Each structure stands twice: as structure tokens, then as C-alpha cells.
Amino acid sequence: MAYVILGAGAVGGTVGFRLAQSGQRVTFIARGEHGRAMGERGLTLMSPVGSDRLDVHVLESVGEHTFGLDDRLLLCTKSQDAVSALEGLDPRVPVFCFQNGVATEPSAVRILERVYGVMTWIPSSHLEPGVVQVFSDSPAGSFRLGCYPRGEDSLSQEVARDLTDAGFDAVSVPDASRWKYGKLLL
């Protein structure tokens, strides 16, 4: 079992870094200068408690990764890039949508069998190749996740536990879409 982080910017870089730091197997999908920097120098996470660097496994595209059915894809791209980023993915691979908006899940569920919504609240930034910043600690961010369009299952509960173990406030909920819409209203 591995976490595959598609989009290693502010959110994906922070989440993937913390998951790897907590002992999870993580593969990053990152393009361009950021991906090259991660491959050459590792990924640096700057936080209120200091700076850490990890050597990471990074690929340039989803097609370079051989997915197992027990892998979890964390989709952390911008909303406008999300659906095209999923092209060619085995429809059985579970996908967790970490976008701020609410448009990704309805599009993803048309091509994938297991789609999860994630309300994402993480103060982070990515301005330099190979470096991400998170501006809080204990927790580093907050997530509410569940099946799309409704419900929760053993996988959403397991991912929430892994995120909690990685230093986030994460809870599996039966109504992740409600949480996402609530955040939009704020």
C-alpha cells in the first residue's frame, strides 16, 4: 500500500511530506522545476517549528506509476487541472479530492469507481522548487473526508487515521460535501 500524491505543491507537498515522515510509503507526481528539484535534492518542509528535508520518490506523470488496487491517490492539483490529471488511471484506484472547490468530485465520479471528497483547511504555500511551507503545527492542517456523494467507509476511516498520525486533524465523515460547501461559504 502506498500513497500517491498527484500535485506536490503547497497542499500535496505538505500532506505527502508528513505522511512519509510518519512512516507511510509515498510517491509524488510532480512536473517541471519543482519535480526536478525534489528528485535531485529531496523535498524541504518549512514549518513554525523548523525546517526538515526528506529524500522522496518522485515521478513526472501518473503513467509512470504502476498502481496497486490498495494504493490511495491523493489528488492535490488545482481544480482546473484535476480531471485531465486523472486520464488513463485505472478506474478502480481510490481517489481523494483535496481541492478547495466542489467541482472535481462530480467530474471524477464519471470516470472512477471510488471517489472521496476532502474538505481541506491547511495554511501552506509553495513558492520555491523543492520547498513547501506550512504555517501551523499540531495540527498542520484540518481535513474532513468521506465517500462522494455521501457516506464513509473503512478506507476513508483508515486514511483519516493515517493523516492524524501524520500530524493533521483528520476525521472521516458521512457528509464531506457539506463540509466543503460550508468552507466555501466562509
Side-chain angles (χ1 to χ4, degrees):
M1 191 274 302
Y3 282 96
V4 179
I5 310 296
L6 178 52
V11 173
T14 301
V15 170
F17 187 100
R18 289 284 177 102
L19 283 168
Q21 197 174 43
S22 73
Q24 296 293 329
R25 240 182 51 213
V26 176
T27 295
F28 290 91
I29 311 288
R31 300 175 308 193
E33 279 187 61
H34 186 49
R36 282 190 294 282
M38 289 172 61
E40 293 168 5
R41 300 185 305 270
L43 180 60
T44 298
L45 177 70
M46 298 170 64
S47 76
V49 296
S51 179
D52 289 309
R53 190 191 70 74
L54 281 177
D55 289 326
V56 295
H57 182 232
V58 62
L59 303 171
E60 193 170 309
S61 73
V62 171
E64 294 178 40
H65 182 74
T66 303
F67 281 90
L69 294 182
D70 59 346
D71 286 347
R72 290 97 166 96
L73 178 67
L74 306 188
L75 182 62
C76 301
T77 62
K78 297 290 185 192
S79 294
Q80 64 266 24
D81 300 323
V83 175
S84 64
L86 298 173
E87 289 177 5
L89 185 67
D90 184 326
R92 298 172 295 172
V93 173
V95 176
F96 289 79
C97 301
F98 278 74
Q99 286 69 37
N100 284 322
V102 293
T104 302
E105 292 88 347
S107 297
V109 80
R110 290 184 189 112
I111 56 174
L112 303 169
E113 295 171 9
R114 297 176 73 190
V115 175
Y116 297 81
V118 183
M119 186 283 301
T120 303
W121 202 303
I122 181 169
S124 56
S125 176
H126 163 60
L127 299 173
E128 177 184 342
V131 178
V132 293
Q133 292 179 282
V134 63
F135 300 101
S136 67
D137 189 64
S138 296
S142 185
F143 306 110
R144 297 298 178 264
L145 56 128
C147 303
Y148 180 82
R150 288 194 48 77
E152 60 181 315
D153 61 13
S154 60
L155 183 56
S156 65
Q157 293 165 353
E158 179 183 327
V159 171
R161 277 192 303 273
D162 289 346
L163 289 167
T164 298
D165 291 346
F168 299 100
D169 168 37
V171 180
S172 175
V173 294
D175 53 358
S177 291
R178 181 180 70 84
W179 283 86
K180 291 183 81 155
Y181 277 100
K183 180 184 172 192
L184 284 175
L185 289 174
L186 291 176

